[in-house]
Amino acid sequence: APPAAVPPTAVSPATAAAAPAWRPTRRFWLWAAVALAAVGLIVGAFFLGRWAGGDDSPGAAPVTTTLAATGSTIGDSTEPVADVAAALSPSVVQIETRGGLGSGIIFRADGYILTAAHVVGVSQEVTVRLADGTRLDGTVVGADENSDVAVVKVDRTGLPAALLATDVEIRVGQIAIAIGSPWGLDQTVTSGVVSSVGRTITGSDGIPRTMIQTDAPINPGNSGGALADRHARVIGINDAIYSSSGGSDGVGFAIPIDTAVAVADRLIAGEEIRTAFLGV
């Protein structure tokens, strides 16, 4: 037979404990504060991202960067190479010597020009041709064979100095635009990407140098000219190529602008350039 039902135990109102009313504890308020903070961070990050990134709709105006050196405006347009050429070309010059010609970059408005040491060679006097065709006499301030950097001075002020990308991280794959005088064709613009950074190559002189590698076409005469990023900032001085034909095979090298400026400042100051080696 089934067990007899057990009657419920009655609890008299006098002896029953009243159900406690719920009250928030300190732990509850702590977790509530954490949850609110998390929601606030997510919402804030969303709106901050929209504000920083701008409106990406088709009708939105392009983001622009103003170059203090030239007063030009560079936009994230569909023609970044054309924008860079328009802004930077006035700062790129042609350098002529008795042994040939190369390129240079105006890096100070008071007449100082960066170029490659092998462009000037043993010359003490050169001819500098500005972008507008003006020809000026130039004096070689100094040259450093180890870095292949040289400085030329012309007696002219108010020149359009290039914007230099010193202390700017160079990324593999970023746009690279070369401007110079390949084969004597001044103000020639070519483009590609940065193929590698920190590439150590040994030139025909047996000196190893750390370079930026690019596939932007570089030919004889480009040496000393500018390698720039999409914001028209100079990231390097075009210097060398690997080639089986004597022309561009898409493996070019540029002296990093940080190295070039450090050497140039010492040459202008008349200080000795000393290179350290780890002879292992």
Side-chain angles (χ1 to χ4, degrees), residues 202-227:
T202 301
S204 57
D205 54 11
I207 299 176
R209 299 180 180 92
T210 301
M211 301 280 202
I212 298 170
Q213 182 182 334
T214 180
D215 68 347
I218 295 174
N219 288 288
N222 269 118
S223 288
L227 186 70

Side-chain angles (χ1 to χ4, degrees), residues 229-258:
D229 65 10
R230 68 181 299 126
H231 300 292
R233 300 175 300 187
V234 178
I235 61 175
I237 298 177
N238 296 322
D239 191 69
I241 58 174
Y242 272 149
S243 174
S244 58
S245 62
S248 175
D249 287 341
V251 184
F253 301 94
I255 304 163
I257 196 61
D258 290 326

Side-chain angles (χ1 to χ4, degrees), residues 93-178:
V93 302
Q94 181 172 287
I95 296 178
E96 303 172 8
T97 70
R98 291 184 178 180
L101 61 81
S103 306
I105 306 163
I106 300 170
F107 86 112
R108 277 178 41 174
D110 55 351
Y112 286 97
I113 297 169
L114 274 173
T115 187
H118 75 265
V119 168
V120 300
V122 297
S123 301
Q124 294 301 311
E125 304 294 331
V126 300
T127 299
V128 175
R129 181 180 177 183
L130 302 181
D132 63 3
T134 302
R135 301 171 75 89
L136 302 172
D137 293 330
T139 302
V140 178
V141 175
D144 177 52
E145 183 182 23
N146 286 323
S147 62
D148 203 23
V149 173
V151 176
V152 172
K153 177 70 167 64
V154 295
D155 187 16
R156 181 68 68 91
T157 59
L159 294 176
L163 188 62
L164 309 180
T166 53
D167 299 322
V168 174
E169 180 184 4
I170 309 302
R171 301 173 58 198
V172 174
Q174 73 177 59
I175 289 178
I177 298 105

